[in-house]
């Protein structure tokens, strides 16, 4: 068996495990290794796709509208939330309905209005929920402290907060008399999974009656938006994450944890990781099983599981009057554990969703499915029967619903057991019962020194409950001073990250400028200013949901930097372009697109007015130059500005150019039409009248046009260092480069070549594996290179190849003379031998 060493091993990559990993790395300075048995990291925040269009979340349906300090900290405040309707949960009982509104005050007022005789009892009930919530928090924090403190503190908590330990049904019956009011107050127990007769009132006080009282929201971009941000931040803190790693055993030596034994299910390799601290986010039962001590937790009450029906629809659920609220369909007023349906319409609450989906959950006893473990054909038929029954109940509620269903797939406790590796498919961790609250084993600490539990079993259900459980694990491991720093950071304001912004913007308008070019306006999801500023000439990267996995394309900003409530891009339709076809044919107003930026060095900042600002565009290459003109007009630029536009017919932005002349008295626009009756292309003679006295040149357009113009400018004596270039490149350029890179790597492998050497000034060098670009190899070797877009459109990463063999694409960034001298783009240059370069 192979051996490795680290400071901390975290078992499981759910939010609890990831929270503990971040805290121990960031505030404890620990080397942390996260081991995940699934092929996807992120626990129940990951998503899966079906039929190349439907995306489904596995565990996150809605969260508190304000995210809360735990989630804000874990995501550095970068996850955007879309509020659900104000009446976010609609409860359907036999004979009546009730809509739960956002905020505690509105909820109490609505209850008092409908049950005026119970007004005092309602106030008394809400006072009890506040106290029970405080008791639960105290109990969970105590569970992370050393044994002597727990031994003294936990009995005190039970004496001070007795209602927390009563069953939900008992406490509701003590508080109110009306059967319908009782049904409303004890409804939504499905948020933590244990029915009213068995669940502890403290958990009900915490989840539906406290956590969601400020309203609810859905992450824009789906649960994976949380997952991606958290994993990215963990990487920044040096946390190592490995998928397909099954922990077989927690190793204990002399009463203290010593590490874990692991099987790499992808390769079959087995190894041991030695570590003085192990955090298990795999649940209490799994943790004790890995210790070989399952019998110690056998008396804990059995936890429920669920069946979940995932539906893809042909049309929007809005056709049935739905607005994105959740629906709870109850079979009776008593909180029966059988037959309660929860229906969630994620696509209505995710403006980035392209196709409509519905998720239907029903909590069940996992024993219901045990007989079908080894009977695949009968199991398939059983799933079909459950699917039909659940669809039938949806049809009863919304007639005509069934015919909109284009896809249906059912997950059962056996599914969750397989993918989550949870005990009997448990959905919310340990059952939320009074017995759990009283158990010394159901919490953060374990009898083994150095071994702690994170996740839902250390606090409570849901993503935020799991995060809190991760903080409790860190609470148990870190030193007091480190714990203090952690909690100050969690409670403090989220610092704005330096550099470019990444998030979602809403398509607020679309305008056809020419038959082949359309302008798209992107605005904040809510009100206010765009979340970033930019300099004229910069561009954005936009993720486009053309398939299950989005593609990313770069588009220059056409609006001026002084406009703060939106940003605009212009896109030309390319006949074979995936991105441009989507933006022209399928994009709709109101849709959210994931955007990052701004990027690029093709910038102009208002300054001296002494010389001529010469702007040269080919076709849609006019887009960034429109931003330059807008910036010049806004700044009151009085110098000479010449815009030369080459196009087949009428140039885009004709109306805007006419308006700009009023604010730019020195503006001269010359259009070179290449179609019938036009003056032809921008050639040497066309440029000659404008070359003298040029102060700055900005050139953007198709690669062949740019290469020719660069040569003309050099012939006219225009200094190269005042010329800025940016190319509009094909959306397939990245794919083309990857294909060339793959071919180079295969050829090198067949020839027995393992790598090349790239020499740079100063006698230094760095390695370049076959199939890597010069820029990628330099970044991997931490050799500083000027860079921006990475895809050959900005020209920032110019290098001069002095010697050696390579393949490249110049992207029209150089004249013929410059190419002859060896100038190339590092991001496009793939060595096929050793290189000598100069910057």
């Amino acid at each position: 068996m192979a051996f490795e060493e680290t400071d901390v091993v975290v078992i499981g990559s759910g939010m609890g495990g990831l929270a503990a990993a971040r805290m121990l790395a960031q505030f404890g300075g620990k080397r942390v290794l996260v081991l995940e048995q699934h092929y996807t990291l992120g626990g129940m925040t990951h998503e899966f796709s079906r039929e190349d269009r439907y995306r489904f979340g596995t565990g996150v349906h809605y969260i508190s509208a304000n995210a809360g300090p735990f989630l804000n900290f874990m995501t550095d405040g970068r996850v955007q939330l879309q509020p659900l309707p104000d009446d976010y949960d609609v409860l359907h009982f036999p004979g009546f309905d009730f809509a739960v509104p956002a905020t505690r005050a509105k909820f109490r007022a609505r209850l008092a209005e409908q049950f005026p005789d119970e007004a005092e009892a309602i106030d008394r009930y809400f006072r009890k929920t506040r106290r029970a919530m405080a008791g639960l928090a105290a109990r969970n924090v105590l569970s992370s402290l050393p044994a002597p403190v727990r031994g003294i503190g936990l009995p005190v908590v039970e004496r001070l907060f007795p209602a927390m330990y009563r069953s939900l049904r008992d406490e509701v019956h003590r508080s109110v008399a009306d059967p319908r009011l009782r049904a409303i107050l004890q409804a939504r127990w499905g948020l933590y999974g244990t029915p009213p007769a068995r669940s502890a009132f403290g958990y009900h006080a915490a989840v539906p009656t406290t956590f969601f009282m400020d309203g609810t929201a859905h992450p824009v971009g789906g649960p994976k938006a949380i997952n991606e941000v958290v994993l990215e931040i963990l990487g920044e803190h040096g946390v190592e994450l490995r998928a397909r790693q099954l922990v077989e055993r927690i190793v204990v030596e002399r009463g203290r944890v010593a590490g874990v034994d692991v099987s790499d299910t992808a390769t079959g390799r087995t190894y041991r990781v030695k570590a003085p601290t192990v955090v298990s986010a795999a649940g209490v039962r799994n943790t004790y099983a890995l210790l070989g001590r399952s019998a110690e937790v056998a008396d804990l009450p059995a936890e429920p599981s669920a069946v979940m029906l995932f539906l893809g629809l042909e049309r929007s659920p809005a056709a049935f009057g739905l607005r994105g609220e959740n629906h709870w369909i109850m079979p009776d007023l008593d909180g029966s554990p059988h037959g309660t349906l929860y229906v969630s319409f994620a696509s209505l609450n995710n403006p980035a969703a392209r196709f409509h989906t519905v998720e239907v959950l029903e909590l069940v006893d996992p024993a219901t499915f045990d007989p079908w473990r080894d009977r695949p054909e009968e199991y398939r038929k059983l799933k079909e029967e459950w699917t039909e029954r659940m669809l039938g109940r949806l049809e009863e509620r919304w007639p005509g619903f069934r015919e909109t269903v284009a896809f249906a797939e059912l997950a059962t406790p056996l599914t969750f057991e397989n993918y989550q590796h949870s005990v009997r498919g448990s959905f919310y961790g340990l059952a939320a019962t009074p017995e759990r609250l009283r158990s010394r084993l159901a919490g953060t600490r374990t009898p083994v020194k150095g071994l702690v539990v994170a996740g839902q079993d250390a606090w409570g259900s849901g993503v935020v409950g799991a995060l809190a459980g991760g903080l409790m694990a860190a609470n148990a491991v870190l030193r007091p001073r480190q714990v203090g720093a952690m909690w100050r950071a969690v409670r403090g304001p989220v610092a704005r990250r330096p550099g470019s912004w990444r998030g979602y913007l809403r398509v607020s308008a679309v305008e056809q400028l020419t038959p082949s070019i359309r302008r798209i306006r992107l605005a904040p999801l809510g009100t206010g200013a765009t979340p970033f500023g930019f300099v004229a000439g910069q561009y954005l990267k936009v993720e486009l949901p053309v398939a299950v996995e989005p593609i990313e394309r770069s588009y220059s900003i056409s609006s001026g930097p002084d406009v703060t409530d939106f940003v605009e891009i212009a896109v030309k339709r390319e006949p074979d372009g995936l991105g441009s076809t989507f933006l022209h044919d399928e994009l709709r107003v109101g849709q959210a697109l994931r955007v990052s930026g701004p990027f690029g060095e093709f910038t102009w900042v208002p300054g001296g007015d002494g010389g001529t600002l010469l702007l040269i565009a080919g076709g849609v290459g006019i887009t960034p130059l429109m931003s330059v003109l807008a910036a010049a007009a806004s700044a009151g630029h009085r110098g000479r500005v010449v815009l030369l536009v080459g196009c087949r017919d009428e140039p885009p932005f004709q109306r805007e150019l006419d308006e700009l002349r009023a604010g730019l008295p020195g503006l001269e626009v010359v259009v070179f039409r290449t179609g019938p009756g036009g003056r032809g292309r921008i050639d040497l003679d066309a440029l000659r009248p404008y070359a003298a006295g040029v102060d700055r040149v900005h050139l953007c357009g198709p690669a062949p046009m740019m290469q020719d113009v660069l040569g003309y400018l050099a012939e006219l004596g225009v200094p190269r260092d005042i010329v800025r270039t940016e190319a509009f490149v094909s959306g397939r350029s990245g794919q083309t480069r990857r294909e060339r890179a793959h071919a180079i790597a295969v050829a090198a492998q067949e020839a027995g070549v393992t790598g090349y050497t790239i020499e740079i000034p100063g006698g230094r060098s760095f390695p370049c594996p076959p199939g890597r670009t010069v820029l990628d190899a330099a970044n991997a070797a931490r050799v500083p290179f000027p860079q921006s877009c990475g895809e050959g459109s900005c020209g920032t990463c110019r290098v001069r190849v002095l010697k050696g063999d390579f393949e490249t694409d110049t992207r029209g960034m150089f004249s013929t003379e410059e190419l002859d001298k060896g100038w190339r783009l590092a991001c496009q240059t793939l060595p096929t031998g050793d290189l000598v370069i100069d910057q």
Side-chain angles (χ1 to χ4, degrees):
M1 178 182 286
F3 292 88
E4 301 180 17
E5 291 188 10
T6 191
D7 296 330
V8 180
V9 169
V10 176
I11 305 171
S13 69
M15 283 298 112
L18 298 182
R22 175 172 178 179
M23 300 306 171
L24 295 176
Q26 181 173 348
F27 299 101
K30 305 290 187 183
R31 294 174 300 152
V32 182
L33 170 64
V34 178
L35 301 172
E36 169 57 53
Q37 58 88 28
H38 194 21
Y39 55 79
T40 301
L41 298 164
M44 299 302 280
T45 60
H46 84 269
E47 299 179 15
F48 69 94
S49 61
R50 291 292 185 268
E51 298 190 352
D52 290 333
R53 55 177 180 164
Y54 299 118
R55 294 202 69 95
F56 298 100
T58 54
V60 177
H61 299 101
Y62 61 152
I63 59 177
S64 177
N66 62 8
F70 297 167
L71 187 58
N72 262 333
F73 179 82
M74 277 298 293
T75 61
D76 285 357
R78 291 161 56 189
V79 170
Q80 296 165 276
L81 300 177
Q82 175 74 16
L84 269 67
D86 191 65
D87 288 350
Y88 62 90
D89 272 337
V90 179
L91 314 178
H92 302 284
F93 299 98
F96 77 102
D97 297 337
F98 182 87
V100 179
T103 78
R104 183 186 299 268
K106 288 182 181 178
F107 188 24
R108 290 172 66 176
R110 185 169 295 177
L111 289 172
E113 179 184 355
Q114 295 195 21
F115 303 95
D117 293 340
E118 298 268 20
E120 291 185 10
I122 291 168
D123 287 342
R124 186 166 56 250
Y125 173 83
F126 278 100
R127 287 196 297 271
K128 288 183 178 180
T129 61
R130 283 198 299 269
R131 186 162 176 78
M133 176 61 201
L136 182 67
R139 183 266 176 199
N140 287 340
V141 171
L142 277 170
S143 77
S144 72
L145 301 179
V149 179
R150 298 200 309 275
I152 296 172
L154 291 175
V156 172
V157 168
E158 183 163 5
R159 286 197 299 272
L160 292 176
F161 305 98
M164 177 178 72
Y165 291 82
R166 297 187 189 114
S167 75
L168 170 59
R169 176 171 293 173
D170 181 13
E171 192 55 52
V172 168
H173 278 248
R174 285 171 179 248
S175 300
V176 298
D178 190 295
R180 295 194 307 162
L181 178 56
R182 288 175 175 174
I184 293 169
L185 293 178
Q186 68 184 16
R188 299 186 295 158
W189 55 268
L191 291 169
Y192 51 87
T194 307
R198 297 178 54 223
S199 60
F201 179 61
Y203 290 107
H204 196 76
V207 184
T209 321
T210 297
F211 183 61
F212 287 132
M213 280 294 93
D214 288 334
T216 57
H218 189 277
V220 178
K224 67 174 180 142
I226 299 174
N227 185 351
E228 291 173 353
V229 170
V230 170
L231 294 178
E232 180 184 331
I233 294 170
L234 286 175
E236 295 170 359
H237 287 287
V239 175
E240 183 180 355
L241 301 119
R242 297 181 190 170
R244 299 180 186 268
Q245 307 299 304
L246 181 63
V247 174
E248 304 279 7
R249 184 167 74 100
I250 297 174
V251 182
V252 179
E253 296 175 356
R254 298 178 182 178
R256 182 172 188 88
V257 74
V260 294
D261 289 342
V262 189
S263 292
D264 184 331
T265 58
T267 65
R269 170 178 172 258
T270 60
Y271 60 100
R272 175 172 293 181
V273 183
K274 297 180 179 180
T277 301
V278 172
V279 177
S280 176
V284 164
R285 293 191 192 276
N286 277 330
T287 302
Y288 279 78
L290 292 172
L291 291 169
R293 299 166 63 168
S294 295
E296 295 182 27
V297 293
D299 291 338
L300 286 172
E303 46 267 48
S305 185
V307 292
M308 187 178 291
L309 181 61
F310 301 96
L311 301 175
L313 305 186
E314 290 287 5
R315 57 195 177 108
S316 171
F320 300 94
L322 299 161
R323 299 177 300 123
E325 69 279 5
N326 306 296
H327 288 258
W328 298 81
I329 304 173
M330 267 74 69
D332 53 41
L333 301 184
D334 295 329
S336 170
H338 305 293
T340 297
L341 284 191
Y342 164 77
V343 191
S344 172
F345 302 91
S347 60
L348 291 179
N349 299 311
N350 177 12
R354 187 177 172 194
F355 300 102
H356 285 288
T357 59
V358 179
E359 292 154 19
V360 187
L361 182 144
E362 181 175 348
L363 290 158
V364 298
D365 182 346
T368 306
F369 289 83
D370 284 345
W372 282 268
R373 285 181 179 274
D374 301 315
R375 297 157 59 187
E377 188 61 29
E378 291 92 336
Y379 176 58
R380 183 184 62 80
K381 292 179 180 178
L382 179 69
K383 290 176 69 173
E384 291 175 354
E385 292 170 2
W386 273 82
T387 298
E388 285 302 310
R389 184 179 64 79
M390 294 172 79
L391 283 174
R393 294 187 66 186
L394 297 180
E395 180 71 16
E396 289 176 11
R397 174 58 50 187
W398 300 289
F401 188 89
R402 183 193 290 268
E403 66 185 34
T404 71
V405 175
F407 168 84
E409 182 174 321
L410 187 78
T412 75
L414 302 183
T415 312
F416 297 120
E417 183 178 309
N418 178 50
Y419 286 103
Q420 294 180 20
H421 208 62
S422 56
V423 176
R424 303 190 73 193
S426 61
F427 203 73
Y428 289 124
L430 292 173
T433 62
E435 292 86 352
R436 171 181 171 178
L437 289 175
R438 294 188 176 99
S439 172
R440 302 294 177 91
L441 303 179
T444 307
R445 296 275 184 166
T446 73
V448 178
K449 293 180 179 179
L451 172 64
V452 296
V453 173
Q456 293 185 116
D457 285 359
W459 187 276
S461 64
V463 167
V464 175
L467 286 176
L471 297 181
M472 290 303 99
N475 222 46
V477 173
L478 294 172
R479 296 174 180 155
R481 181 176 297 178
Q482 296 167 337
V483 169
M486 177 185 79
W487 285 110
R488 285 192 296 273
V490 169
R491 292 169 179 156
V494 176
R496 182 177 175 85
R497 294 167 63 90
S500 61
W501 179 84
R502 187 173 190 179
Y504 287 88
L505 296 176
R506 177 176 53 87
V507 177
S508 62
V510 176
E511 179 184 1
Q512 202 72 35
L513 298 178
T514 72
S516 62
I517 299 175
R518 67 176 359 192
R519 174 166 51 194
I520 298 167
R521 176 173 292 183
L522 302 169
L525 295 178
T527 58
T530 51
F532 56 85
F534 64 92
V535 179
Q538 289 192 298
Y539 66 92
L540 301 174
K541 292 183 179 180
V542 185
E543 287 188 6
L544 304 175
V546 299
V548 170
E549 293 300 325
I551 61 173
E552 189 173 69
R553 296 291 184 261
S554 298
Y555 298 106
S556 291
I557 301 170
S558 63
S559 51
D562 286 348
V563 178
T564 60
D565 54 344
F566 62 83
V567 64
E568 292 178 332
I569 59 175
V571 181
K572 180 183 179 181
R573 178 194 291 275
E574 299 290 346
D576 298 322
L578 284 176
S580 68
T581 300
F582 168 79
L583 291 173
H584 274 260
D585 295 344
E586 300 183 53
L587 186 72
R588 66 182 189 275
V589 171
Q591 186 170 358
L593 295 176
R594 196 178 192 192
V595 171
S596 58
F599 301 104
E601 304 298 325
F602 186 68
T603 55
W604 180 82
V605 178
D609 298 344
T612 298
L613 174 61
L614 177 58
L615 309 175
I616 308 171
V620 77
I622 193 176
T623 302
L625 305 183
M626 293 303 299
S627 184
V628 171
L629 290 173
S634 178
H637 185 80
R638 291 294 178 264
R640 187 185 184 205
V641 181
V642 177
L643 172 64
L644 308 181
V645 184
C647 54
R648 181 174 297 276
D649 298 302
E650 288 294 323
F653 303 104
Q654 185 62 62
R655 184 183 73 250
E656 289 78 4
L657 289 173
D658 294 339
E659 294 171 352
L660 281 167
R661 286 188 174 91
L664 284 173
L667 175 62
E668 180 180 354
V669 179
V670 184
V671 179
F672 295 80
R673 294 185 181 86
T674 59
R679 66 170 72 191
R681 300 182 182 277
I682 302 174
D683 56 17
L684 180 65
D685 290 336
L687 285 170
R688 196 182 304 276
Y690 308 104
V694 170
D695 180 63
R696 183 77 169 259
V697 179
H698 280 240
L699 169 62
C700 183
M705 170 261 189
M706 290 178 61
Q707 183 172 330
D708 290 343
V709 170
L710 285 170
Y712 302 148
L713 291 171
E715 191 172 340
L716 292 169
V718 176
R720 184 62 173 84
D721 60 0
I722 70 168
V723 180
R724 299 291 184 272
T725 56
E726 184 153 273
F728 269 74
V729 299
S730 166
R732 298 169 62 184
S733 61
Q735 180 66 28
T736 303
R737 186 173 68 248
R738 287 193 291 272
E739 291 170 351
R740 295 201 320 271
H742 177 70
I744 290 171
V746 170
Q749 184 178 17
E750 292 175 350
V753 177
T754 58
Y756 309 117
T757 299
I758 300 177
E759 293 185 23
I760 56 178
R764 297 175 297 158
S765 65
F766 58 90
C768 180
R772 289 270 190 98
T773 66
V774 170
L775 183 61
D776 286 342
N779 288 338
R782 300 185 183 276
V783 176
F785 261 58
Q787 56 192 283
S788 181
C789 73
E791 61 181 31
S793 63
C794 71
T796 306
C797 61
R798 293 159 47 96
V799 296
R800 190 178 176 198
V801 181
L802 304 178
K803 182 179 179 181
D805 297 324
F806 57 88
E807 292 186 17
T808 193
D809 188 336
T810 64
R811 290 287 180 268
M813 289 293 178
F814 307 105
S815 67
T816 302
E817 182 182 1
E818 289 173 319
L819 291 172
D820 291 341
K821 290 180 179 179
W823 286 103
R824 299 293 186 270
L825 297 173
C827 69
Q828 300 296 313
T829 300
L830 294 157
T832 56
D834 295 341
L835 295 186
V836 178
I837 65 175
D838 191 359
Q839 293 175 263

